Amino acid sequence: MRVRVRVQGIVQGVGFRPFVYRLAQEEGLAGYVLNDERGVVLEAEGPRPALERLIERMRSEAPPLAVIDHLAASPVEPVGGHGFEIRESARGADIDTVIAPDTATCEDCLRELFEPDDRRYRYPFVNCTNCGPRLTIVEGVPYDRALTTMSTFTMCARCEAEYRDPANRRFHAQPNACPDCGPRARLLDGAGRELTDAGARDPVDAAAAVLVAGAILAVKGIGGYHLAADATAEAAVAALRARKHRERKPFALMVAGLEVAAGLVELGEQERALAVSAARPIVLCVRREPSPVAASVAPGAPELGLMLPYTPLHHLLLADFTARAGRPAILVMTSGNRSDEPIAYEDDDALGRLAGIADAFLVHDRPIRSRVDDSVARAAGPLASSAAGPRRLTLRRSRGYVPAPIALPVPASRPLLAVGAELKSTFCLARGGRAWVSHHIGDLEHYAALVAFRDGVGHYERLFDVRPELVAHDLHPGYASTAYAQERAGVELVGVQHHHAHLAACLAEHGRGPEVRAVGAIYDGTGYGTDGTVWGGEVLIGGLTGFERVAALRPVRMPGGEAAIRQPWRMACAWLAEAADAGAGAATATDPPPRPAALAGAVSARDWRLVAQIGRDARLSPLTTSMGRLFDAVAALCGIAPEAIYEGQAAIELMAAGVGARPRAYELAVLEAATCGTPVPAVRWTLDPRALIAAVAADLAAGVAVAEVAAGFHAAVARATGRVCALAAGAGGLDTVVLSGGVFQNQLLLGAACDRLTAAGLAVLVPEQLPANDGGIAFGQAAVAAALAAG
């Protein structure tokens, strides 16, 4: 008997063909296996029981990095013959394959890296079919060396023998190399001149000496450059902040292992599992105090972001630092850029852009095709709602996860592109049941990010053979992503409201089809509403094909528009004025509210009066229902981040202040919209924070501790969320609530809201594989477009 087997999923570049070869040999079967544009195809001939065992073992014993999405076997005519072979890749059909993400160095390669007698001892680019670069070196498919950035490196005889040997774990490992034939590391100064250190074993050891001396090092990794410094040296970290123009946003850390990490942060089982996973994300963990970490690493943040080494070069660098310093390496490892720019990944660009930041550059000559940042995640804990049990909550989905596809609950009957939002940009391509969400690109208001966005779309279209007929986009007419969509010729445009996309992304991630409707509490900073105003504190009822806005935060003016995002004290002024107008304060409708004492040192009396006046001018101050701006306001009233240096700073530091504190008793009122004055049009309920704002201001004026105020505010928002969602669920006959939007990255709020909703008997869905922030918008747009196209 002979069968033909088609396998689809992540089955190229992960050792799947030698795996099949080994199984066929063990089962005594004849035939062949090869890669093609759709995945792996094989034919096997022999006794029926042996063929059945082969197919079962392919499913149950697949290589570590393989993911089988589809396996189908069909009988074909026997041809006789003996032996089983691995054939060259076939080309010519439509591409339907999946490329593996870049993967952390495996244990086998690590043993070789640190074994003095091994020929790859201290070789910074050791890899095999179970680990190493994938997406970042791929030029095209099938995934063969000729279509990667390794194509210019000719393998030596020994590497070639490994590459051709089906029994070797480096069989068809496309980045395979050794010190004799592969990429090499060099240490350069800021002018690009090679540096030598007579006391160092090699450039990596010399680079470690640079870090031990307190200097800043640019390090070329898998998907781009990092900027590294000794995280225990305050002077080095402060210098990095000053040169990078990143005043307060936390830096990520890299440590050699879990033992070192456990001395810095609280590590539960889930945090440990995330940290050592093949994806090696930055894991956000509650920080321990006291700590050797410099104060400037993460000022005002309750967590530290830690990752373990994921390339051989990283492992060597940390080991050499430890040996030289006589203490465990704890390194800042932050993106190689100036604040808000995309990371540098091309050598000339890195030397140009980072020369004023880094004192030295640890570089190598393996080109990077795709710029890919580190992923960021935290343990889901009891919040995970997947049937598979607790998983991660993703804040940035990039290296280690991308470009693994995510299943669409409604297959895309027409190939489509979703272009996402403006901030935390990603795009998404979809064909059939697969959606490929891109790596994190950045903020499209920066030209370099927009260039990277355009390049990424084109590269993914070629890799996955998607020729979009539909292009889904945000409704905001000023977004660069919307403009890009409108520039595409010969496509049908599908506009998707921002908060509907958040709702749809979460539903689709959890496999809910168009027949499922849910309540969605979608809280974020900014989203263009169907009425042309700025939404952001929304309660929706809907599914993939549509939604109804049933509740919203009471609208307030944003004094000066986007200036209020950068200066949260403006939102404090606006909400105090609203509270005063409601009779909760001493001011009249024309007088500015009293300036809180906590803001006296940050805001002049003149500026306060001026902004209060601007806040009453509809021409200068658009209305918003943004929950993010409410958090900004309360943070500013507490004296926390009256001027925001990075996005989300005020909310992050407000959360940090409230963790573990006894909450004050506040209420965020949930009112029938028609009874609360100036209602949001066409909604049933309004969340009215005016009395809450007045109570917060009064408590702070009376000397109540900021921690108690912050905790009480979070508790009030969680209670109101639980109440309004329960009302909406009851009115709609629904039993499921989605919590999404960037505000729900706040663990204090998310945990309390989940508790409230669960106590009310409602099932809660939260984004897990994708970010709750705008990094998930593109997938939501794709899910909506696919569902609408299906009719």
Side-chain angles (χ1 to χ4, degrees):
M1 181 179 181
R2 189 178 183 93
V3 295
R4 181 180 177 87
V5 183
R6 160 67 64 188
V7 189
Q8 292 175 273
I10 301 178
V11 290
Q12 291 191 11
V14 294
F16 201 85
R17 286 178 299 167
F19 159 70
V20 171
Y21 174 88
R22 177 177 59 81
L23 295 186
Q25 294 276 60
E26 292 174 2
E27 298 293 348
L29 298 171
Y32 68 86
V33 61
L34 57 80
N35 283 344
D36 67 5
E37 288 86 349
R38 297 171 60 192
V40 167
V41 64
L42 63 113
E43 289 191 10
E45 186 169 338
R48 179 186 293 272
L51 292 171
E52 290 174 347
R53 286 194 300 271
L54 172 71
I55 293 170
E56 173 56 32
R57 293 179 69 186
M58 285 169 63
R59 289 191 173 101
S60 63
E61 301 176 22
L65 302 185
V67 178
I68 297 176
D69 293 334
H70 178 73
L71 188 154
S74 57
V76 295
E77 282 295 318
V79 298
H82 301 281
F84 197 90
E85 63 179 338
I86 298 174
R87 293 184 178 176
E88 292 297 319
S89 300
R91 294 180 174 85
D94 289 339
I95 297 169
D96 190 21
T97 190
V98 179
I99 296 169
D102 303 292
T103 305
T105 310
C106 71
E107 291 299 320
D108 288 331
C109 286
L110 277 180
R111 278 192 291 272
E112 294 173 342
L113 183 68
F114 289 106
E115 172 52 58
D117 293 331
D118 193 277
R119 74 187 190 93
R120 291 185 173 89
Y121 174 58
R122 293 191 59 83
Y123 183 55
F125 310 101
V126 58
N127 68 87
C128 68
T129 54
N130 296 326
C131 67
R134 295 294 191 276
L135 172 67
T136 51
I137 64 170
V138 170
E139 299 275 8
V141 292
Y143 176 63
D144 285 332
R145 191 178 182 100
L147 294 175
T148 73
T149 61
M150 286 295 295
S151 61
T152 58
F153 295 94
T154 301
M155 283 183 283
C156 66
R158 286 191 289 179
C159 286
E160 182 78 21
E162 295 169 332
Y163 184 85
R164 299 295 177 191
D165 181 3
N168 193 291
R169 81 174 198 278
R170 292 193 168 91
F171 177 77
H172 279 230
Q174 307 307 338
N176 187 32
C178 74
D180 294 333
C181 64
R184 297 186 179 187
R186 294 185 301 152
L187 185 65
L188 309 178
D189 66 12
R193 296 181 295 257
E194 191 153 359
L195 293 173
T196 57
D197 183 342
R201 290 180 286 184
D202 53 36
V204 179
D205 189 27
V210 169
L211 291 170
V212 171
I216 297 168
L217 178 72
V219 182
K220 184 179 180 181
I222 279 186
Y225 278 78
H226 284 111
L227 290 166
D230 180 359
T232 69
E234 177 63 31
V237 179
L240 178 56
R241 284 208 174 277
R243 297 180 196 178
K244 189 175 161 72
H245 303 301
R246 181 166 166 167
E247 297 178 42
R248 284 185 68 85
K249 189 174 183 180
F251 285 140
L253 302 179
M254 182 177 280
V255 296
L258 292 177
E259 184 176 351
V260 178
L264 306 178
V265 296
E266 301 288 343
L267 283 180
E269 289 186 13
Q270 293 179 42
E271 287 85 359
R272 289 172 179 269
L274 265 178
V276 301
S277 68
R280 287 291 201 279
I282 297 168
V283 183
L284 298 185
C285 306
V286 176
R287 64 197 302 171
R288 289 182 180 272
E289 294 293 352
S291 163
V293 173
S296 292
V297 166
E303 299 169 308
L304 290 176
L306 279 88
M307 59 180 159
L308 302 187
Y310 56 86
T311 72
L313 186 148
H314 290 141
H315 282 281
L316 290 172
L317 184 64
L318 269 71
D320 291 346
F321 182 100
T322 298
R324 285 180 171 272
R327 54 184 167 84
I330 305 171
L331 302 182
V332 168
M333 198 67 76
T334 190
S335 53
N337 58 4
R338 293 187 186 275
S339 185
D340 297 327
E341 295 176 349
I343 60 169
Y345 73 107
E346 294 175 323
D347 299 334
D348 289 345
D349 179 52
L351 285 168
R353 282 204 283 147
L354 305 182
I357 304 175
D359 299 302
F361 290 74
L362 181 57
V363 304
H364 59 77
D365 54 355
R366 183 179 67 204
I368 298 171
R369 171 55 186 87
S370 295
R371 173 190 358 232
V372 180
D373 290 81
D374 295 315
S375 293
V376 183
R378 60 161 56 96
L383 303 175
S385 50
S386 166
R391 297 189 299 189
R392 69 181 188 269
L393 296 179
T394 304
L395 284 78
R396 183 167 74 201
R397 182 178 182 269
S398 207
R399 179 195 47 77
Y401 299 114
V402 171
I406 300 174
L408 285 171
V410 181
S413 57
R414 300 168 64 187
L416 66 87
L417 164 67
V419 297
E422 185 85 348
L423 302 180
K424 297 178 172 61
S425 169
T426 63
F427 59 84
C428 178
L429 286 162
R431 177 167 46 82
R434 291 176 180 160
W436 291 274
V437 181
S438 77
H439 51 287
H440 168 82
I441 293 170
D443 298 346
L444 296 187
E445 60 192 19
H446 300 289
Y447 176 73
L450 182 58
V451 171
F453 173 88
R454 291 175 177 271
D455 174 73
V457 170
H459 186 47
Y460 272 52
E461 286 180 353
R462 291 185 295 273
L463 283 183
F464 303 114
D465 196 30
V466 178
R467 303 172 182 86
E469 297 176 9
L470 302 177
V471 177
H473 62 87
D474 196 273
L475 298 183
H476 197 301
Y479 279 0
S481 57
T482 302
Y484 173 82
Q486 293 169 342
E487 292 170 4
R488 296 277 303 222
V491 298
E492 180 181 335
L493 298 180
V494 181
V496 182
Q497 199 278 326
H498 190 89
H499 301 93
H500 181 208
H502 274 303
L503 171 63
C506 187
L507 289 173
E509 176 194 329
H510 289 279
R512 272 47 170 192
E515 73 284 356
V516 175
R517 297 170 71 247
V519 177
I522 314 298
Y523 297 167
D524 62 5
T526 299
Y528 193 82
T530 55
D531 59 0
T533 65
V534 180
W535 293 6
E538 313 306 314
V539 179
L540 313 178
I541 288 179
L544 299 185
T545 58
F547 74 97
E548 175 190 2
R549 188 189 193 196
V550 295
L553 190 69
R554 178 184 176 85
V556 68
R557 301 231 170 250
M558 290 175 61
E562 290 192 1
I565 300 174
R566 298 185 295 272
Q567 296 180 313
W569 67 265
R570 291 174 179 247
M571 293 309 304
C573 183
W575 273 117
L576 284 174
E578 284 290 311
D581 289 353
T588 69
T590 57
D591 293 332
R595 181 181 48 162
L599 292 175
V603 184
S604 70
R606 176 182 175 278
D607 287 346
W608 183 263
R609 288 193 302 271
L610 179 61
V611 164
Q613 294 170 359
I614 290 172
R616 298 185 182 279
D617 189 335
R619 298 168 300 175
L620 302 175
S621 304
L623 284 171
T624 184
T625 58
S626 170
M627 186 66 76
R629 301 290 80 79
L630 179 64
F631 272 74
D632 285 353
V634 173
L637 289 175
C638 292
I640 296 171
E643 301 263 350
I645 298 170
Y646 64 90
E647 184 193 7
Q649 177 190 347
I652 289 170
E653 296 185 8
L654 182 67
M655 180 188 76
V659 171
R662 182 184 64 184
R664 294 288 288 177
Y666 301 131
E667 181 182 3
L668 172 55
V670 178
L671 306 174
E672 290 283 343
T675 68
C676 65
T678 319
V680 179
V683 302
R684 291 187 58 178
W685 299 280
T686 296
L687 284 74
D688 189 344
R690 291 177 295 177
L692 167 59
I693 290 291
V696 164
D699 274 356
L700 291 168
V704 173
V706 165
E708 294 182 17
V709 172
F713 170 71
H714 281 83
V717 176
R719 281 194 301 272
T721 300
R723 183 181 174 198
V724 72
C725 287
L727 289 170
L734 304 173
D735 62 2
T736 301
V737 176
V738 166
L739 301 179
S740 191
V743 170
F744 278 114
Q745 292 181 159
N746 181 315
Q747 288 291 86
L748 194 56
L749 172 64
L750 181 60
C754 284
D755 289 345
R756 291 278 170 180
L757 292 165
T758 302
L762 296 167
V764 182
L765 297 179
V766 299
E768 295 179 27
Q769 295 184 65
L770 291 161
N773 61 41
D774 283 4
I777 286 286
F779 181 68
Q781 293 170 344
V784 170
L788 291 173

